[in-house]
């Protein structure tokens, strides 16, 4: 009922805070829980006041009629408000378990790919000490697999043969690939996923790449690897999202004190004429904690790591066919706004393909 993602997350957070005895926190995406807890850090004094008074204050994105309906469900709770103030004053490491001491598990609908960054951030800070569980694997609107190993740090999903009809396109095939079926998969190999599940949607290429992690009896267990749409390629070099992320993380180790909050990339052709007469290149936007600025030498480290990790990219850079990567730092909160602009709850893109989203993140550049 709430068109604003930020307003919806804040209302859900407020009503969750009313209940001290919670056993499960659940979110469709790890990013949703991450952003709700970012709102807690920023707005806990006001949330505490609302709890104490039992009054929901007006907020942008919260229609008055709906606010009145929600208001009727609130009652003053000074004791819970005092507890919230006390715990937030202590700091936010492990805050989730301190606010809800009977919490047993955090359930997220998606924790792989682009969501892994938020998943790891939650485990290391706000949700410290809590197990995480990602129960199902979905693609193309269909439920395809179940995670039978909740204690494993990396989610693996058992593909269930009777939930949908799945076909698989082998990656890195020497010739034009043909689809294979569940009983033809090989452990350790990667495949593009093709699904027939919804009426009228036959042999739908989902854009998901899966790695076969093993077999449970005769059924394959898979790990989602990447999304084909999130590949960087201005000259056919094809750097996948998880590969770029690995190079980026290696670069971060060369920037003492830097902690990555979020990032997104774009190919320079999305800039149009504003990119100037330079060769095609990558534009990278990052939010960092611990560093206010980067020198030109530090910025070049990322381009250097990409050249070391991807010989084809290095070859194009040497020829001048690909220009040097441009790295921009953005202000805090820029990526929360970007997720708001995405509309429906979709996994965070790591490569932007819409000019409006690129303009939005460009407007947040501080260095």
């Amino acid at each position: 009922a709430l068109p604003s993602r930020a307003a919806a997350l804040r209302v859900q957070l407020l009503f969750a805070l009313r209940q001290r005895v919670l056993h499960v926190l659940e979110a469709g995406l790890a990013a949703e829980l991450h952003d709700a807890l970012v709102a807690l850090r920023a707005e806990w004094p006001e949330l505490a006041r609302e709890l104490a008074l039992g009054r929901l204050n007006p907020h942008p994105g919260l229609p008055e009629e709906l606010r009145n309906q929600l208001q009727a469900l609130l009652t003053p709770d000074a004791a819970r408000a005092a507890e919230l103030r006390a715990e937030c004053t202590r700091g936010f490491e492990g805050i989730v378990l301190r606010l809800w001491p009977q919490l047993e598990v955090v359930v997220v609908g998606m924790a792989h790919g682009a969501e892994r960054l938020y998943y790891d951030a939650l485990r290391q800070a706000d949700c410290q000490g809590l197990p995480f569980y990602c129960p199902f694997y979905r693609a193309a609107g269909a439920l395809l697999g179940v995670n039978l190993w909740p204690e494993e740090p990396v989610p693996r999903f058992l593909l269930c043969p009777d939930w949908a009809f799945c076909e698989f396109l082998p990656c890195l095939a020497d010739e034009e690939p043909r689809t294979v079926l569940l009983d033809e998969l090989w452990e350790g190999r990667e495949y593009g996923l093709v699904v027939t599940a919804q009426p009228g949607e036959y042999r739908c290429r989902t854009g998901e790449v899966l790695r076969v992690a093993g077999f449970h009896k005769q059924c394959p267990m898979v790990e989602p690897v990447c999304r084909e749409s999130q590949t960087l390629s201005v000259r056919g070099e094809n750097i996948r999202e998880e590969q770029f992320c690995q190079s980026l993380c290696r670069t971060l180790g060369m920037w003492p004190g830097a902690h990555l909050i979020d990032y997104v990339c774009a190919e320079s052709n999305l800039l149009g004429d504003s990119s100037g007469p330079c060769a095609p290149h990558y534009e990278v936007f990052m939010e960092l904690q611990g560093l206010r600025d980067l020198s030109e030498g530090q910025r070049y480290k990322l381009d250097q790591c990409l050249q070391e990790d991807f010989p084809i990219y290095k070859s194009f850079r040497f020829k001048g066919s690909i220009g040097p990567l441009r790295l921009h730092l953005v202000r805090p909160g820029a990526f929360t706004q970007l997720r708001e602009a995405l509309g429906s709850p979709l996994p965070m893109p790591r490569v932007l393909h819409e000019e409006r989203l690129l303009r939005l993140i460009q407007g947040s550049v501080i260095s």
Side-chain angles (χ1 to χ4, degrees), residues 251 254-256 291 293-302:
T251 306
M254 305 177 191
W255 299 338
L291 282 183
D293 200 1
L294 292 171
S295 67
E296 286 304 312
Q298 286 176 310
R299 292 171 195 256
Y300 180 68
K301 289 291 185 185
L302 178 54

Side-chain angles (χ1 to χ4, degrees), residues 182-202:
L182 279 173
D183 62 331
E184 300 175 286
L185 300 182
W186 288 79
E187 184 173 348
R189 294 187 184 178
E190 296 181 358
Y191 300 86
L193 178 63
V194 180
V195 171
T196 300
Q198 307 291 335
E201 296 182 7
Y202 302 102

Side-chain angles (χ1 to χ4, degrees), residues 242-303:
E242 89 284 5
Q243 295 172 325
F244 182 89
C245 186
Q246 289 168 6
S247 297
L248 177 58
C249 290
R250 193 160 70 86
T251 306
L252 282 167
M254 305 177 191
W255 299 338
H259 174 66
L260 178 66
I261 302 299
D262 221 331
Y263 76 96
V264 75
C265 309
E267 297 169 357
S268 60
N269 57 11
L270 193 61
L271 293 168
D273 295 338
S274 63
S275 68
C278 57
H281 60 275
Y282 305 155
E283 299 273 340
V284 181
F285 303 86
M286 300 174 59
E287 181 183 339
L288 289 180
Q289 196 174 58
L291 282 183
R292 300 185 64 180
D293 200 1
L294 292 171
S295 67
E296 286 304 312
Q298 286 176 310
R299 292 171 195 256
Y300 180 68
K301 289 291 185 185
L302 178 54
D303 193 272

Side-chain angles (χ1 to χ4, degrees), residues 167-173 176-180 185 190-194 203 205 208-210 228:
E167 300 171 84
F168 305 87
L169 278 168
C171 297
L172 304 176
E176 187 68 25
R178 67 171 187 86
T179 57
V180 297
L185 300 182
E190 296 181 358
Y191 300 86
L193 178 63
V194 180
R203 310 194 81 192
R205 289 195 66 167
E208 296 263 344
V209 175
L210 306 177
E228 293 173 341

